[in-house]
Amino acid sequence: MDRILMAHGGGGRLMRELIEQCFAKAFGMEELGDSAILEFSGRRLALTTDSYVVSPLFFPGGNIGTLAVNGTVNDLAVSGATPLYLTSGFIIEEGFPISELSLIVESMARAAEEAGVRIVTGDTKVVNKGKGDGVFINTAGVGIIEDGVDISPLLIKTGDAVIVNGDIGSHGICIMAARNGLTFAKPLLSDCRPLNGLTQLMMKTAAVHFMRDSTRGGIAATLKEAASASGKCIKIKESSIPIAPQVRGACELLGLDPIHIANEGVVTAIVEKADAEALITAMKSHPYGANATIIGEVVSGPRGLVTLETTIGGTRVLDMPLYEQLPRIC
Amino acid sequence: MDRILMAHGGGGRLMRELIEQCFAKAFGMEELGDSAILEFSGRRLALTTDSYVVSPLFFPGGNIGTLAVNGTVNDLAVSGATPLYLTSGFIIEEGFPISELSLIVESMARAAEEAGVRIVTGDTKVVNKGKGDGVFINTAGVGIIEDGVDISPLLIKTGDAVIVNGDIGSHGICIMAARNGLTFAKPLLSDCRPLNGLTQLMMKTAAVHFMRDSTRGGIAATLKEAASASGKCIKIKESSIPIAPQVRGACELLGLDPIHIANEGVVTAIVEKADAEALITAMKSHPYGANATIIGEVVSGPRGLVTLETTIGGTRVLDMPLYEQLPRIC
């Protein structure tokens, strides 16, 4: 393979290989988590970045701007950090309507306010017509990890509970529907939302060993990552996974698997078993945790294996997808 | 004006108006400097971001990757910060050769090593063929401003000396030549280079009141910004400004003004007059300050005015250019 494929940006195995072989080696990165944890003046600083290239730019429940704020806030949040500051870099295609740019920027301001972060600096570049696609946005985020917070796949142990905060697959199916002009009898909104309030609540309530916002690759990619990084075996139960009826219907119709569909407001966490029930109760009190559910557990079994008990009682092995089923989802 | 023009990314008045009206208002940004200065654990953290869309991707003296590292390092450096960490976000066009991507990434690693910063986290997105232009890179940078460092246009006072560290206009003319297949008898390289070593030396040697890396808009845009932000009047002498002969020749031929041409390794500083000579001597000992020169001074005169004494003895008023003469220079 000597040229970049769409799949190299898809959050699956191909992307991981590119990152490992091309970026991580050259830059001497040891871990490939969502945020880097760094030393700054004796405290732990979390630093993350994401570029957003979603198509279409506007979709039910959000737009590229809300995605650019919430996505980066969430990367910080699941590393255990309190998000503080964001940067914003715009690459705008010549001819893009300023009115649409303003809508996006105002959405970002509102999203930042809701998440309690400040967008403190930015950059604007313009590329010739036909050399971009409306607008691309990069955000980088800085957060602080308070003393005492300790989240690492190495803490995952047999018996731990696997939980999600709510319905999976909504963002991916929403984008796919918007792209193809599909509508649902009951409208489906993207789950694009800031998770930092919820993750703070989770860390206060339970011993959280691992958290990820399950974006590209869906919860399957997150679970596979957790199993690989911890060397543990994870078993989840398909019937326990919360899924909106529109997402279930669309997936059945199109032959997609919701556990592989991208989310923008789903945290998958692995927590101490003894704390799990209390945690679910606490999460249900938060607007972004209303459908919080235990979906599985860490079990004895082969290192790095993730299995799914299907609704009809069978067992399927989950693997890291080769790439995201829908390109340019975020 | 209801659509984005190339000029909105050009670093001049049009860009400034877009930033002020669209971004700064929505995000509540007070200052529009290169770096935001923020509180983190009781210390001052500098945070900056830039997206790079330079065309062509490779040019004499560098490529988009070296630009992406040095540009962000320099934004931190001129705010008085010691650069520490960089993020890197790639937006790659489908079909881009992985061999070229590797060259760019390896250049970034070397540039980071030279500047003494670490690239600690990244992101990869792929857009469809025809929806990008090879590769765009965003870097965000985090630095620390040591206690005691104080750099602000408000410190600029009458009598201060205006200095540059070396030849101006090399990057812009180099890119223009590469884009148009022009060659010089003696090759011209971009001045793309990290300035943090030099700025640290400058701050140790002199009372530095103001520094900027003079990128889009050239040193004219920097001087106008300094005059406007300080409410002072600045006078520079055209014959004092160091310019490589190839740049001078190309500018004469094409009717361009080198003081408006973009640089990627030029720091324009305003410093205490009494320190200026010693500062120039110290800068000349540094490889990136070999052509350091006093090019003007802060004088009594109308607030915000910048004048240029031309080589033939006339006086010209410098204004912020409407936009950069060459688009996609960085």
Side-chain angles (χ1 to χ4, degrees):
Chain A
M1 207 171 311
D2 61 354
R3 289 189 178 265
I4 292 289
L5 310 176
M6 289 304 292
H8 280 118
R13 267 193 357 246
L14 274 179
M15 189 175 92
R16 204 162 177 93
E17 282 168 21
L18 178 72
I19 292 174
E20 279 168 5
Q21 286 159 24
C22 186
F23 299 111
K25 216 171 83 180
F27 297 158
M29 291 172 186
E30 282 150 31
E31 281 193 56
L32 295 175
D34 286 322
S35 299
I37 313 292
L38 306 158
E39 193 279 333
F40 188 96
S41 182
R43 300 291 297 276
R44 283 181 297 169
L45 179 150
L47 180 62
T48 189
T49 190
D50 262 313
S51 296
Y52 298 84
V53 300
V54 67
S55 172
L57 296 172
F58 294 86
F59 48 82
N63 61 51
I64 189 170
T66 52
L67 213 54
V69 170
N70 290 331
T72 294
V73 162
N74 292 349
D75 278 346
L76 293 173
V78 296
S79 72
T82 305
L84 298 171
Y85 308 118
L86 297 192
T87 67
S88 64
F90 289 78
I91 299 176
I92 314 172
E93 188 185 6
E94 184 185 12
F96 189 69
I98 294 181
S99 57
E100 289 189 26
L101 182 64
S102 294
L103 283 178
I104 291 167
V105 168
E106 285 155 19
S107 305
M108 290 178 77
R110 279 194 302 273
E113 196 182 353
E114 187 193 342
V117 296
R118 279 172 56 207
I119 300 172
V120 293
T121 188
D123 175 57
T124 311
K125 291 293 186 318
V126 179
V127 294
N128 319 67
K129 190 144 186 73
K131 299 292 184 187
D133 196 12
V135 61
F136 301 141
I137 303 176
N138 176 284
T139 48
V142 170
I144 188 166
I145 301 185
E146 298 296 346
D147 296 340
V149 169
D150 193 9
I151 305 223
S152 158
L154 302 179
L155 298 173
I156 296 173
K157 62 181 200 305
T158 305
D160 280 358
V162 179
I163 63 164
V164 294
N165 64 314
D167 293 352
I168 68 162
S170 302
H171 179 70
I173 295 299
C174 167
I175 293 292
M176 193 206 57
R179 212 177 275 171
N180 294 291
L182 305 178
T183 52
F184 297 95
K186 188 181 166 205
L188 175 71
L189 302 184
S190 162
D191 62 345
C192 179
R193 54 194 177 183
L195 293 172
N196 51 325
L198 184 66
T199 55
Q200 294 291 332
L201 173 69
M202 289 166 68
M203 291 188 294
K204 264 181 215 141
T205 316
V208 175
H209 298 154
F210 175 88
M211 289 196 285
R212 276 283 185 281
D213 60 330
S214 299
T215 55
R216 289 177 286 179
I219 66 164
T222 298
L223 293 168
K224 187 67 191 171
E225 192 191 336
S228 300
S230 64
K232 298 291 176 189
C233 179
I234 294 173
K235 184 178 167 185
I236 61 169
K237 210 170 164 180
E238 192 170 26
S239 60
S240 305
I241 303 170
I243 305 176
Q246 304 99 309
V247 172
R248 191 183 298 279
C251 283
E252 277 173 11
L253 204 65
L254 299 164
L256 298 170
D257 191 335
I259 62 169
H260 288 302
I261 303 280
N263 311 283
E264 286 295 336
V266 167
V267 52
T268 307
I270 300 181
V271 306
E272 186 69 42
K273 184 183 185 169
D275 299 340
E277 286 298 340
L279 177 60
I280 295 292
T281 306
M283 288 173 75
K284 281 182 187 290
S285 73
H286 191 284
Y288 298 153
N291 280 353
T293 315
I294 299 174
I295 63 164
E297 59 184 325
V298 179
V299 295
S300 356
R303 291 171 62 86
L305 188 75
V306 183
T307 62
L308 175 84
E309 186 188 315
T310 65
T311 43
I312 53 164
T315 294
R316 233 173 81 203
V317 171
L318 292 190
D319 205 353
M320 178 73 80
L322 200 58
Y323 54 90
E324 164 62 42
Q325 299 169 94
L326 302 162
R328 295 185 60 187
I329 206 78
C330 62
Chain B
M1 205 171 310
D2 62 352
R3 288 189 178 266
I4 292 290
L5 309 176
M6 288 305 291
H8 278 117
R13 270 198 348 253
L14 275 179
M15 189 175 92
R16 204 164 177 89
E17 282 168 23
L18 178 72
I19 292 174
E20 279 169 4
Q21 286 157 25
C22 185
F23 299 110
K25 218 171 82 182
F27 297 158
M29 292 172 186
E30 282 150 31
E31 282 191 56
L32 294 177
D34 285 322
S35 298
I37 314 290
L38 305 159
E39 193 278 335
F40 187 97
S41 182
R43 300 292 296 276
R44 283 181 297 168
L45 178 150
L47 181 62
T48 189
T49 190
D50 261 313
S51 296
Y52 297 84
V53 300
V54 67
S55 172
L57 296 174
F58 294 86
F59 48 83
N63 61 51
I64 189 171
T66 52
L67 214 54
V69 170
N70 290 330
T72 294
V73 162
N74 292 350
D75 278 346
L76 293 172
V78 297
S79 72
T82 305
L84 298 173
Y85 308 118
L86 296 192
T87 67
S88 64
F90 289 78
I91 299 176
I92 314 171
E93 187 186 6
E94 185 184 12
F96 189 69
I98 292 180
S99 56
E100 290 190 25
L101 182 64
S102 293
L103 282 179
I104 292 167
V105 168
E106 285 156 19
S107 305
M108 291 178 76
R110 278 194 303 271
E113 195 181 354
E114 188 193 341
V117 296
R118 278 173 55 206
I119 301 172
V120 292
T121 188
D123 175 57
T124 310
K125 293 289 185 320
V126 180
V127 295
N128 320 67
K129 190 144 186 75
K131 300 292 185 187
D133 196 12
V135 61
F136 302 140
I137 302 178
N138 176 285
T139 47
V142 170
I144 188 165
I145 301 185
E146 298 296 346
D147 296 340
V149 170
D150 193 9
I151 304 219
S152 158
L154 301 177
L155 298 173
I156 296 173
K157 62 182 200 303
T158 305
D160 281 357
V162 179
I163 64 164
V164 294
N165 63 314
D167 293 353
I168 67 161
S170 303
H171 179 71
I173 295 300
C174 168
I175 293 291
M176 194 204 58
R179 213 178 273 170
N180 295 291
L182 304 179
T183 53
F184 298 95
K186 189 183 165 203
L188 175 70
L189 303 184
S190 163
D191 63 344
C192 179
R193 53 193 178 183
L195 293 171
N196 52 326
L198 185 65
T199 55
Q200 294 291 333
L201 173 69
M202 290 166 67
M203 291 188 293
K204 265 183 212 140
T205 316
V208 176
H209 298 153
F210 175 88
M211 290 195 285
R212 277 283 184 282
D213 61 328
S214 298
T215 56
R216 289 176 287 179
I219 67 164
T222 298
L223 293 168
K224 187 67 192 171
E225 191 192 337
S228 301
S230 63
K232 300 290 175 189
C233 179
I234 295 173
K235 185 178 165 184
I236 61 169
K237 210 171 161 178
E238 192 170 25
S239 60
S240 305
I241 303 170
I243 305 177
Q246 304 99 309
V247 172
R248 192 183 296 280
C251 283
E252 277 172 13
L253 203 66
L254 299 164
L256 297 171
D257 192 336
I259 61 169
H260 288 302
I261 303 281
N263 312 283
E264 286 296 334
V266 168
V267 53
T268 307
I270 300 182
V271 306
E272 187 69 42
K273 185 185 183 167
D275 299 340
E277 287 298 340
L279 178 60
I280 295 292
T281 305
M283 288 172 75
K284 281 182 186 291
S285 73
H286 191 282
Y288 298 152
N291 281 354
T293 316
I294 299 175
I295 62 164
E297 59 183 325
V298 180
V299 295
S300 355
R303 293 170 61 86
L305 188 74
V306 183
T307 63
L308 175 83
E309 187 188 313
T310 65
T311 44
I312 55 165
T315 295
R316 231 174 83 202
V317 170
L318 292 191
D319 206 354
M320 179 72 80
L322 199 57
Y323 53 92
E324 165 63 43
Q325 299 168 93
L326 301 163
R328 297 186 58 188
I329 206 77
C330 61

